[in-house]
Amino acid sequence: MTDTSLLLGAREQLIRGLQDRRALRDLPPVVEAQARRSAVLVLFGQRPDRMHLAPASVTAADLDLLLEVRADTLRSHPGEVSFPGGSVDPEDIDAVDTALREAEEETGLDRTGVEILGALPDLPLLANNFVVTPVVGWRTRTLPVCVMDHGETHEVRLTSVDDLLNPENRFTSVFRHERGDFRGPAFDIGGATVWGFTALVIDHLFEASGWTRPWDDGDLRDIFTLQ
C-alpha cells in the first residue's frame, strides 16, 4: 500500500509532520513555576540551487535548515549549535513574534520572507530552566543571513538537510548530569556537533515528516558532563 505522504512535496510533508503530536523523547524536567519562556525559529527552505524546482517536486534533500554556532565566550552553551532564538520580551506578541525577532537580531533575517507553518508543543530545556516553543517556518524566497553580533554568534549556517539525514552523520549523544545520564539523537555537520534540544527537535521533525533514513542509534558518543 502506497504511503500518500511520499507523494507530497517537502513543505506539505513538514506541515503534516507538525500535526503529529506523539511525544518527543523526554528531556529532564524543568521547574515550571520558575521556568523562563523562550522561543526558537526552526527555518527550512529550498537551497539556492534548488529554487527552480516546482513545489510538488521539492524533496527533503533539496532543503536547508538555518542553524547557528554560538560564540565560545558565552556563559550559556558556548560553542554549541542551536536555532536562532531567545527569551520572550514583554513587548512580544507571542512565541512566533519572539522567534522572528530573535532571528532578525541574530542573523539579519527578513521576516517578510518567512511563512510560519506551525509550532511544536513547548519543550523543557535542561540548562537555565527554560520552557521553549519551537516555531517552524519556511522561506518563501532566498534570504541572506549573516552573523550580526560576533559576541553572541560565531557562525550562521544554512545547513543541508540532505547532510543531516545522511546516516554517516548521525549518532546517539550521551551527556551526564547529576540527575542521571541522558541519551539523545545527534548530528555531525562538518566537525560541529548538533545535540541536545536542537537535535531532539530536528530528529522529531524528520521522523514525523517521513524523511528519516535508517541510522545506527547504537553508535554512542559522550558529549560532556553537566553539573
Side-chain angles (χ1 to χ4, degrees), residues 86-144:
S87 298
V88 173
D89 282 353
E91 58 270 24
D92 291 339
I93 299 170
D94 52 21
V96 170
D97 195 34
T98 299
L100 290 171
R101 174 183 56 77
E102 288 284 346
E104 285 179 323
E105 294 174 359
E106 295 172 7
T107 73
L109 181 76
D110 180 357
R111 70 162 68 194
T112 65
V114 176
E115 175 192 5
I116 300 301
L117 302 183
L120 291 174
D122 292 347
L123 295 171
L125 183 60
L126 174 63
N128 305 322
N129 211 47
F130 274 106
V131 172
V132 187
T133 304
V135 175
V136 180
W138 182 270
R139 288 199 320 272
T140 59
R141 62 179 188 272
T142 300
L143 299 174

Side-chain angles (χ1 to χ4, degrees), residues 26-66:
D26 290 337
L27 286 176
V30 298
V31 181
E32 288 284 348
Q34 302 172 4
R36 292 186 288 174
R37 307 294 306 186
S38 62
V40 297
L41 181 64
V42 187
L43 183 62
F44 292 91
Q46 290 173 236
R47 289 162 36 190
D49 61 342
R50 297 291 194 272
M51 291 300 293
H52 63 283
L53 296 175
S57 63
V58 174
T59 70
D62 300 313
L63 305 181
D64 56 36
L65 175 64
L66 179 61

